[in-house]
Amino acid sequence: MTVESTAARKPRRSSGAGTKRASAKKTPATAADEPQLVQLLTPEGERVTHPDYEIDLSADELRGLYRDMVLTRRFDAEATSLQRQGELGLWASLLGQEAAQIGSGRALRDDDYVFPTYREHGVAWCRGVDPTNLLGMFRGVNHGGWDPNSNNFHLYTIVIGSQTLHATGYAMGVAKDGADSAVIAYFGDGASSQGDVLESFNFGAVYNAPVVFFCQNNQWAISEPTEKQMRVPLYQRAQGFGFPGVRVDGNDVLACLAVTKAALERARSGQGPMLIEAFTYRMGAHTTSDDPTKYRADEEREAWEAKDPILRVRTYLEKEGLADAAFFEELEAESETLGKRVREAVRSMPDPDTMAIFENVYADGHALVDEERAQFAAYQASFAEEGK
């Protein structure tokens, strides 16, 4: 599913041509404690308006966004379980961040290019990357699992923040080529304190690069809360580099879609970078090697559970009569099928060729690599001889 509707700077009227569309109620969209927060769908499932960002979606498109989030969460839960069972070495869960990723991911055009961290499973889903391909690196059988150029979705980046430099450089190249496309770089609140990210901001601004910086502020850089990481709201950092920043409700898939689409269109039109801070929450652990109960209060998580990004869309769909019981039942069955496919795919992944590490080191070969290859082959063969 690809959302074709574009974000407008002003609310638009529905065409009403044979397709039931969502109605927006004229209620305030901003919370008292977060006046800059862009929100189009409240935690209670109420559709609201915003003076600068709006989006007009059909019932099919809304159901598609809901489906994306549900299946992404199921895949993520399956991967977490597989790690607990010893099938994966590590896993970084996106639980609670589905709206930020699906909303921004569906705002992209096919010719846009994505530079992710290691948690953008929902964006990968939107780009058409097979979910099972995300698991090879975490199982230790490959170094990535997919061709970045097939889906314009770069390999996962484990080094914190470095992908923003890659994204900015790529965007500078896009501008020099005169291409009508944009680049988006994903990173977290913790990564925003890295020098790489700040250098990316500066280069992007100076060269007016068509890049969108998308920060998923899940409020915890492993065990460090945001109030100990920065003195001002994260999105305001963009001002110091000369481009706009905006904070969006990261648990609102509609707002994330509208804001990201507007930022991408701005970048494509030659107006330069924009920083989006998706204000969300990491519901689970930083990775499966982390225990958040050691540094986080249960009450905090419970408060954010009430803002669940999937629940609010379901509430809205049911309240507006945009989805029936059959839709949810079919989606549940599809979810079960996906979970089974993921389990089977992981357990059947072949081990890598132990000699492959020596391939492609040099284009034309190298005497030292040949020597090391022969030594390693002899070492491997010694085990077989001992077993005889």
Side-chain angles (χ1 to χ4, degrees):
M1 187 279 290
T2 301
V3 175
E4 299 293 346
S5 301
T6 58
R9 301 301 292 176
K10 295 181 179 180
R12 299 183 301 171
R13 290 187 176 181
S14 168
S15 63
T19 304
K20 185 173 183 179
R21 293 188 174 273
S23 59
K25 298 178 181 179
K26 302 297 183 179
T27 54
T30 54
D33 57 341
E34 296 292 346
Q36 303 87 0
L37 191 71
V38 177
Q39 186 179 84
L40 299 179
L41 189 65
T42 71
E44 296 76 29
E46 293 290 334
R47 186 72 164 88
V48 295
T49 60
H50 190 276
D52 296 322
Y53 299 96
E54 191 52 76
I55 197 147
D56 185 21
L57 300 177
S58 69
D60 284 342
E61 289 169 330
L62 286 165
R63 287 192 295 266
L65 292 172
Y66 179 79
R67 173 182 175 272
D68 287 337
M69 290 194 292
V70 168
L71 294 181
T72 298
R73 178 172 289 188
R74 177 52 189 267
F75 162 71
D76 180 70
E78 205 65 49
T80 300
S81 296
L82 286 165
Q83 193 283 329
R84 298 306 190 198
Q85 296 163 15
E87 301 289 352
L88 302 177
L90 186 74
W91 185 247
S93 173
L94 60 60
L95 182 62
Q97 298 177 219
E98 294 88 355
Q101 295 193 17
I102 297 301
S104 61
R106 288 303 180 194
L108 294 160
R109 290 191 335 205
D110 289 343
D111 59 338
D112 294 331
Y113 208 100
V114 179
F115 286 84
T117 64
Y118 46 78
R119 200 188 300 273
E120 272 67 61
H121 320 314
V123 184
W125 173 271
C126 294
R127 299 305 280 175
V129 177
D130 190 312
T132 62
N133 288 343
L134 303 178
L135 302 172
M137 179 179 66
F138 294 97
R139 189 171 172 82
V141 300
N142 61 44
H143 296 298
W146 63 92
D147 178 3
N149 294 322
S150 295
N151 308 76
N152 280 9
F153 185 80
H154 201 266
L155 297 177
Y156 275 179
T157 305
I158 304 300
V159 178
I160 304 300
S162 64
Q163 73 279 2
T164 60
L165 285 172
H166 306 155
T168 301
Y170 192 96
M172 289 165 62
V174 166
K176 288 183 179 295
D177 291 342
D180 179 27
S181 60
V183 179
I184 188 167
Y186 289 89
F187 59 98
D189 50 288
S192 71
S193 297
Q194 291 285 94
D196 288 3
V197 174
L198 303 179
E199 290 169 13
S200 303
F201 287 178
N202 194 51
F203 268 87
V206 170
Y207 287 91
N208 207 47
V211 58
V212 174
F213 297 106
F214 193 95
C215 178
Q216 293 175 81
N217 180 1
N218 62 27
Q219 302 179 59
W220 288 94
I222 306 183
S223 58
E224 193 77 354
T226 51
E227 58 264 25
K228 293 186 178 180
Q229 297 179 57
M230 57 202 72
R231 294 292 297 272
V232 299
L234 200 151
Y235 75 96
Q236 291 183 6
R237 288 183 172 181
Q239 298 177 20
F241 295 90
F243 57 88
V246 61
R247 173 179 283 186
V248 60
D249 183 347
N251 285 20
D252 177 356
V253 68
L254 303 185
C256 289
L257 174 60
V259 172
T260 307
K261 190 171 284 289
L264 290 167
E265 291 174 351
R266 181 182 184 279
R268 295 191 199 102
S269 65
Q271 299 180 63
M274 183 169 173
L275 171 61
I276 299 173
E277 177 193 356
F279 196 72
T280 181
Y281 192 76
R282 192 192 77 214
M283 296 299 293
H286 175 69
T287 68
T288 48
S289 65
D290 170 44
D291 180 6
T293 63
K294 293 182 180 296
Y295 56 81
R296 223 166 52 176
D298 291 340
E299 294 78 10
E300 181 178 290
R301 177 190 167 105
E302 291 169 0
W304 277 91
E305 284 178 345
K307 304 174 185 179
D308 185 275
I310 296 179
L311 179 60
R312 71 172 70 181
V313 177
R314 175 161 185 158
T315 300
Y316 179 64
L317 290 174
E318 291 178 331
K319 187 183 302 181
E320 297 294 323
L322 302 173
D324 56 17
F327 166 76
F328 295 112
E329 291 172 2
E330 291 171 5
L331 182 55
E332 179 63 26
E334 186 179 5
S335 176
E336 290 297 321
T337 300
L338 175 62
K340 180 180 179 181
R341 182 167 74 87
V342 169
R343 291 192 299 273
E344 293 175 347
V346 166
R347 290 166 179 161
S348 62
M349 284 182 178
D351 291 334
D353 177 7
T354 55
M355 304 304 294
I357 192 174
F358 300 100
E359 303 299 327
N360 304 315
V361 179
Y362 289 91
D364 301 320
H366 193 280
L368 179 58
V369 174
D370 293 341
E371 180 183 344
E372 291 174 340
R373 181 191 292 107
Q375 291 175 349
F376 187 69
Y379 173 72
Q380 291 285 89
S382 69
F383 292 101
E385 293 174 358
E386 289 177 3
K388 292 181 180 178

